[in-house]
Amino acid sequence: MSTVETVRMGLVHFKNRLFHKFKDLNDTSNEDDVVDKVVVITGSNSGIGKVLALHMAKRGAVVVMVCRNVSKAEASMEEIKKQVPEAKLNFVRIDLSDMESVTAGAKEIKEKFDTINILVNNAGYMSDSPQTERTKAGLEKHLATNYLGHYLLTLHLLENLKKGAPSRIVSVASTFHETAKLRSGDLNMEKKVYKGPLNLFGAYMNSKRCVMLFSKELGKRLEGTQVRTYSLCPGLVDTGLFNDFSLSAKAVTKFMHVFAGCNPEQGTETLMYCSTSQECAQDSGKAYRFSKIWSRADELVTDDDATKLWNETEALLGIQFREFGIMNL
C-alpha cells in the first residue's frame, strides 16, 4: 500500500469515527439473551476484552476469561466481581503464542463446558521492534499470538460451539489490515523483507489480515451448522497494546488517538454488537466496523485469498482439520 493509500485509509476511518455515535453498553435492546450462556473471551484481563467480560457478566452470562498473565487475570476478576457480585466468572490460562499451551487450555475449557455459545478471539500483540520476533517454535510472534493461536483454539472448540448453536465466533481485526503485505508461501515472514510507510508494524498488519481471511473462510465452511463467524475493527482504541512502544512510536499513536481514537468502553461497542445483536444474527463471514457492515473490508478480503490462507496455515502448523473430528471441514 502506498503512502497516499495509507493516508486515504486514515482519513476514511477519521470520518467514520467523527460521525459515529457510540451506543451505551448497558443498553441491551435488540440483543440475544445471554443469561447462563457460555462466553469464552481471550485477552479479557485488560482493554476491550475486560470491558466485554464485565458487560457479559452484567447480562448474566457464564464468562470464561482466557488470559496469559495469571495475576492480571485474577485482579480483573476481582474488579468485575466488585461491580457484579453475582458474576459467573471462570479463568483458563493460555499463552496464545504457544500452540501447546493453546491445545492444553482448549482441553481444559472443553472439560469444563460441554457447550459454548460465543467465542471471542480478542487477545492481541503489537510491537514496534524493527527486528522480526519469533516464538520458541520459530513462529513470527504477531502471527502466532493474533492469528495462529486463535485459529487453533477455535478449531479445538468447534464441536462445543456446534452443541451450543446458534453460536458465534467473533474475531478482532484492525482497519490497518489494509496495509498488509501477505506473500504466498511466506506466511511466517521468513523470506520476504517487508517495506512500506508502516513497515515497523507490518507483521501486526499481516496477522490482522489473516484473522479476517480465516473468519471469512470458516464462515463458508460452517454453512448449515448455525455457527456463525464475524470479524471486526473495534476502532483505534486507547489500551495497553502500545505500552512497550518506543517514545516516538507512543507519540504517534497518542496523536492518532486524539483525533480518531476511542476509549475501551467505546471500542467494545462493535465487539458486543457482533456477539449479541439480532441485526447480524443471520450473517456469517462478514466484517464490521462501528457496528455496521464494513464494505471496504469485504471487498479486500477475497474468497480466493481466504482459501489460500486456509491451506497455507494447515501446512505451517502441520495439521489436518480432520484431526479435530469436524465433519464439515
Side-chain angles (χ1 to χ4, degrees):
M1 174 174 280
S2 68
T3 301
V4 172
E5 290 172 317
T6 302
V7 171
R8 183 208 61 78
M9 176 193 70
L11 290 175
V12 170
H13 181 86
F14 173 71
K15 182 191 75 171
N16 291 335
R17 165 65 183 89
L18 185 64
F19 293 102
H20 180 67
K21 183 178 180 180
F22 290 98
K23 178 183 176 181
D24 183 349
L25 290 180
N26 292 306
D27 179 0
T28 62
S29 59
N30 203 27
E31 288 185 359
D32 286 344
D33 184 2
V34 295
V35 173
D36 290 329
K37 301 295 185 182
V38 177
V39 182
V40 179
I41 310 171
T42 69
S44 44
N45 64 325
S46 64
I48 61 176
K50 180 179 175 181
V51 175
L52 183 67
L54 169 63
H55 284 277
M56 284 294 187
K58 286 182 177 181
R59 285 161 168 76
V62 177
V63 181
V64 184
M65 300 176 68
V66 175
C67 312
R68 178 180 58 83
N69 189 302
V70 176
S71 59
K72 288 183 179 180
E74 291 175 343
S76 295
M77 291 173 74
E78 287 183 15
E79 288 181 37
I80 291 173
K81 285 190 174 181
K82 284 181 180 178
Q83 298 184 61
V84 189
E86 69 279 12
K88 292 164 275 192
L89 304 179
N90 300 265
F91 167 64
V92 175
R93 184 190 180 278
I94 293 180
D95 179 350
L96 285 159
S97 70
D98 181 345
M99 301 306 115
E100 292 181 0
S101 175
V102 173
T103 298
K107 181 180 178 182
E108 182 179 343
I109 293 172
K110 292 195 293 185
E111 288 174 349
K112 290 181 177 179
F113 304 98
D114 187 52
T115 62
I116 297 172
N117 304 101
I118 303 170
L119 169 61
V120 180
N121 293 322
N122 162 72
Y125 173 76
M126 187 178 189
S127 169
D128 66 338
S129 171
Q131 305 300 320
T132 300
E133 299 176 297
R134 298 203 177 275
T135 68
K136 63 182 181 181
L139 299 170
E140 195 284 315
K141 193 170 182 180
H142 294 85
L143 183 77
T145 307
N146 299 341
Y147 168 54
L148 295 175
H150 284 125
Y151 159 92
L152 190 59
L153 178 65
T154 300
L155 291 182
H156 277 301
L157 300 182
L158 267 180
E159 284 301 322
N160 303 70
L161 283 156
K162 282 186 176 182
K163 292 177 182 178
S167 53
R168 307 191 192 199
I169 301 168
V170 182
S171 300
V172 176
S174 169
T175 290
F176 291 112
H177 84 95
E178 292 190 30
T179 68
K181 295 180 181 293
L182 287 176
R183 298 289 188 260
S184 179
D186 188 27
L187 180 59
N188 202 30
M189 293 181 67
E190 295 171 345
K191 304 172 186 175
K192 182 74 179 177
V193 176
Y194 293 81
K195 296 181 179 180
L198 295 173
N199 63 301
L200 280 181
F201 308 115
Y204 174 80
M205 314 309 184
N206 283 3
S207 69
K208 290 303 185 178
R209 172 63 69 85
C210 288
V211 167
M212 299 185 73
L213 289 167
F214 174 60
S215 181
K216 186 162 196 169
E217 180 71 9
L218 188 60
K220 285 195 308 180
R221 292 175 180 253
L222 289 175
E223 286 181 5
T225 66
Q226 293 194 71
V227 181
R228 295 181 169 84
T229 67
Y230 308 80
S231 64
L232 65 101
C233 171
L236 188 60
V237 189
D238 192 1
T239 68
L241 194 61
F242 313 104
N243 286 348
D244 296 327
F245 279 17
S246 64
L247 289 178
S248 59
K250 281 183 179 179
V252 171
T253 55
K254 181 57 68 175
F255 175 82
M256 294 168 68
H257 281 136
V258 169
F259 290 97
C262 57
N263 60 46
E265 190 86 6
Q266 294 170 326
T268 305
E269 181 200 63
T270 306
L271 198 55
M272 181 64 80
Y273 177 86
C274 290
S275 299
T276 64
S277 177
Q278 294 173 357
E279 291 180 0
C280 61
Q282 301 305 313
D283 294 339
S284 191
K286 296 186 180 298
Y288 297 80
R289 185 169 64 178
F290 297 121
S291 297
K292 291 187 247 183
I293 291 286
W294 185 7
S295 300
R296 166 79 175 169
D298 278 332
E299 293 172 4
L300 292 175
V301 180
T302 68
D303 288 337
D304 285 347
D305 286 344
T307 301
K308 288 176 183 176
L309 177 69
W310 184 276
N311 295 332
E312 199 165 340
T313 303
E314 183 181 55
L316 179 60
L317 290 184
I319 62 174
Q320 294 286 329
F321 294 104
R322 295 185 184 88
E323 297 172 17
F324 297 89
I326 306 162
M327 299 305 295
N328 296 69
L329 303 180

